[in-house]
Amino acid sequence: MGNQKIRTRYAPSPTGYMHVGNLRTALYAYLITKHEGGDFLLRIEDTDQERYVEGAVDVIYNTMKMTGLIHDEGPDIGGPVGPYVQSERKPLYADYAKKLVERGEAYYCFCTKERLESLREAAEDSKAPVKYDKHCLHLSKEEIEANLAAGIPYVIRQNNPTEGTTTFDDVIYGAISVDNSELEDMILLKSDGYPTYNFANVVDDHLMGITHVVRGSEYLSSSPKYNRLYQAFGWDIPVYVHCPPIMKDAQNKLSKRNGDASFEDLIAKGYLKDAIVNFIALLGWSPGTNQELFSLEELIEIFDYKQINKSPAIFDPVKLRWMNGEYIKKLSVEEFHKLAEPYYAKELKHPHMDSFKISKLLQSRVEVLNEIPSFLDFFNELPEYSNELYIHKKMKTTLDNSLVSLEKILPVLEGLEDWTHEGLEKAITATIAEMGIKNGLMLWPIRTALSGKASSPGGAYELADILGKEESLSRIIKGIEQLKNA
């Protein structure tokens, strides 16, 4: 391997979603090769025609583009070792399967569904592992030729040894040995002429010069079968990097079936793509420092796949929220506002309000974009609230002194011409000075009357500025009435 250029690939099946686990596989494959200045390939594995979902290839392209995992070769851009779609490579696989038959490493199998079914039932009755019994390995050349000439459907099976062990080295998990008696004579070529996933994988990885294969640890147990194929062809075995499973909690794996989020779901919920990529990078890998926030460029710089963990990674939604909040804070106000606008368009009932000013208040408070509507309710209308909100220990406000402050400020605000943040601040500060009171005694009652909430983004000046003169005055008058009736 010495100075050979590193080549990795992401080889998804077009089945509809980009699961978090799939995205992590793509990310690690990308980081491994980019860290060394190598090539990253995209290959579409669509040989399982029954699972094919319309539009799924676009989901793959869009996700890769959004996350910045840009491939150097692939179906859409071509490259020297195409085609990059397995169904377009179909004739290749039959040729390679037949090569193995010639070498005695594979054989034709003409067994009917019924015979295979009875083998399965017998194995289950005797609690033995279900395995093909090599029945067709012993057919004579004449029998095989007669069957082929008669057009009897067949599959081609790998001819695995039944004695001894097969050992392989995994970068993360070390040396792993399997008893050959456990190896199944797996089907390489199906009766429809399509290769099985495992076989196509090996042939394509070899022909495309893939040096490092990144995949989930659930493939550990099939690695010996892969390696026997490489050896049967006399090919170099790639470096395997098996990633630990991603768990929802200590017992359950993350899965789309249980309604766990895919990449699209997370985007729809208002997570930022860069935060998702950063979070997923740390599911099973750590840089060995305390740093947690990384751009894609920084990840490329420091990613060392030998630091991938063996133990399962827990998908911690609390940490993802926190991280997303950090990414939101790093945006410019303009960028945040652009992301927030669709929520305002849907939720903000008063078109005269300056939503850019709302964005300035919300940016440091929002962790996930879909929380934005929960901050907008009181801008739309004043909620019913209890007078208890006026009482604040630290501000030293009571129902009585709150009423005094609001009654004092109302005529000042009614006569105010310059209804801007600066104008409001000037007028209110002057009144506070004139009354000889602490700021909080005036500002807390105003903020409470304007928002009707125990906590709100922004204080008295910001809220009055956004709500506008008419709405602000009507809310303050309502507060005065409420306090008078207390």
Side-chain angles (χ1 to χ4, degrees):
M1 297 282 295
N3 52 13
Q4 186 183 358
K5 188 175 195 183
I6 288 192
R7 284 168 69 83
T8 62
R9 46 78 173 169
Y10 174 52
S13 302
T15 54
Y17 292 100
M18 182 67 95
H19 303 258
V20 165
N22 296 358
L23 185 55
R24 183 188 61 175
T25 300
L27 176 62
Y28 284 5
Y30 176 83
L31 293 174
I32 285 171
T33 197
K34 292 300 160 190
H35 182 72
E36 301 283 349
D39 298 323
F40 177 57
L41 282 65
L42 176 64
R43 181 172 78 224
I44 303 294
E45 307 212 325
D46 60 347
T47 53
D48 191 346
Q49 296 286 304
E50 279 149 43
R51 288 178 64 217
Y52 184 82
V53 175
E54 205 54 56
V57 176
D58 291 331
V59 170
I60 295 163
Y61 286 143
N62 293 340
T63 307
M64 308 290 278
K65 196 181 266 134
M66 268 184 86
T67 50
L69 306 181
I70 307 301
H71 47 280
D72 303 293
E73 300 171 25
D76 50 342
I77 51 175
V81 291
Y84 294 86
V85 177
Q86 280 187 338
S87 56
E88 295 169 20
R89 301 169 67 82
K90 189 178 164 187
L92 267 173
Y93 306 116
D95 294 346
Y96 277 97
K98 285 167 186 159
K99 270 185 194 158
L100 290 182
V101 173
E102 286 159 24
R103 298 180 176 194
E105 297 283 358
Y107 55 93
Y108 290 101
C109 170
F110 300 94
C111 288
T112 59
K113 276 203 176 110
E114 291 72 28
R115 181 171 190 278
L116 297 174
E117 192 53 35
S118 65
L119 278 181
R120 198 176 63 79
E121 283 166 9
E124 279 171 6
D125 291 345
S126 63
K127 301 269 186 288
V130 181
K131 262 181 74 171
Y132 181 65
D133 59 359
K134 289 185 181 284
H135 173 77
C136 289
L137 177 62
H138 310 297
L139 296 176
S140 67
K141 210 169 172 190
E142 292 72 35
E143 286 173 290
I144 294 168
E145 277 165 10
N147 286 346
L148 290 175
I152 297 174
Y154 66 87
V155 300
I156 293 183
R157 288 182 183 274
Q158 183 177 12
N159 183 16
N160 276 319
T162 48
E163 267 104 51
T165 57
T166 297
T167 302
F168 78 99
D169 271 308
D170 180 78
V171 174
I172 312 301
Y173 292 84
I176 293 187
S177 292
V178 177
D179 277 334
N180 290 338
S181 60
E182 289 174 28
L183 295 180
E184 163 81 288
D185 279 0
M186 65 175 177
I187 294 173
L188 306 179
L189 204 69
K190 296 180 280 194
S191 54
D192 60 6
Y194 275 101
T196 53
Y197 174 79
N198 292 332
F199 184 56
N201 235 306
V202 168
V203 171
D204 288 345
D205 283 345
H206 172 73
L207 294 178
M208 293 183 176
I210 301 303
T211 60
H212 292 61
V213 171
V214 183
R215 57 186 179 203
S217 58
E218 66 271 20
Y219 289 104
L220 270 173
S221 58
S222 23
S223 295
K225 292 187 283 198
Y226 285 92
N227 286 1
R228 296 209 72 89
L229 284 174
Y230 279 105
Q231 287 159 340
F233 282 119
W235 295 340
D236 285 343
I237 293 173
V239 175
Y240 289 115
V241 183
H242 287 100
C243 310
I246 301 176
M247 309 291 283
K248 188 176 185 161
D249 50 47
Q251 284 74 42
N252 302 295
K253 278 181 84 161
L254 210 57
S255 89
K256 186 70 196 168
R257 267 193 301 264
N258 301 339
D260 295 322
S262 65
F263 177 74
E264 295 92 323
D265 295 334
L266 292 173
I267 293 288
K269 284 180 181 168
Y271 288 91
L272 305 188
K273 58 184 173 52
D274 295 346
I276 300 171
V277 169
N278 186 159
F279 177 74
I280 287 176
L282 298 171
L283 287 177
W285 169 84
S286 120
T289 62
N290 290 332
Q291 186 180 341
E292 298 205 271
L293 300 175
F294 297 95
S295 66
L296 192 57
E297 291 68 34
E298 290 173 298
L299 287 169
I300 289 170
E301 188 63 35
I302 61 163
F303 193 80
D304 176 359
Y305 64 85
K306 297 186 178 72
Q307 288 169 312
I308 292 173
N309 305 324
K310 283 198 192 76
S311 47
I314 304 278
F315 186 98
D316 177 358
V318 177
K319 181 171 177 181
L320 174 58
R321 283 184 73 90
W322 164 80
M323 189 174 277
N324 200 63
E326 295 301 305
Y327 270 83
I328 286 178
K329 287 188 192 98
K330 289 202 297 193
L331 299 170
S332 68
V333 189
E334 289 73 18
E335 288 170 318
F336 174 71
H337 182 60
K338 207 171 159 192
L339 295 172
E341 274 183 316
Y343 295 94
Y344 300 146
K346 229 168 94 185
E347 305 284 343
L348 203 57
K349 306 279 190 292
H350 301 288
H352 72 273
M353 286 184 193
D354 184 342
S355 59
F356 188 72
K357 289 176 177 170
I358 297 179
S359 290
K360 282 180 166 171
L361 298 183
L362 295 191
Q363 184 172 4
S364 61
R365 289 177 167 80
V366 167
E367 284 191 315
V368 183
L369 295 173
N370 70 358
E371 294 172 338
I372 290 172
S374 68
F375 287 105
L376 301 178
D377 54 352
F378 76 91
F379 284 113
N380 290 330
E381 59 179 314
L382 186 66
E384 292 292 322
Y385 66 95
S386 108
N387 283 348
E388 298 301 309
L389 291 186
Y390 285 102
I391 301 169
H392 194 299
K393 272 208 183 86
K394 215 165 111 195
M395 304 287 183
K396 302 198 168 41
T397 52
T398 63
L399 296 183
D400 294 337
N401 63 24
S402 293
L403 179 59
V404 171
S405 294
L406 290 183
E407 286 188 312
K408 188 85 181 160
I409 203 66
L410 180 63
V412 176
L413 295 178
E414 283 174 333
L416 183 65
E417 296 285 321
D418 178 17
W419 197 277
T420 59
H421 190 292
E422 293 74 25
L424 287 157
E425 191 168 346
K426 210 166 149 190
I428 295 171
T429 311
T431 311
I432 291 170
E434 190 189 312
M435 292 171 70
I437 58 172
K438 287 248 173 24
N439 287 350
L441 281 184
M442 176 64 79
L443 296 177
W444 183 259
I446 294 177
R447 195 204 63 77
T448 303
L450 293 177
S451 70
K453 292 174 84 93
S455 73
S456 67
Y461 308 131
E462 290 93 350
L463 296 185
D465 179 25
I466 291 166
L467 288 165
K469 185 166 183 175
E470 195 185 330
E471 182 68 23
S472 297
L473 292 176
S474 88
R475 291 184 182 199
I476 289 171
I477 291 165
K478 190 174 178 192
I480 291 172
E481 284 163 12
Q482 221 172 283
L483 285 166
K484 275 185 173 163
N485 299 330

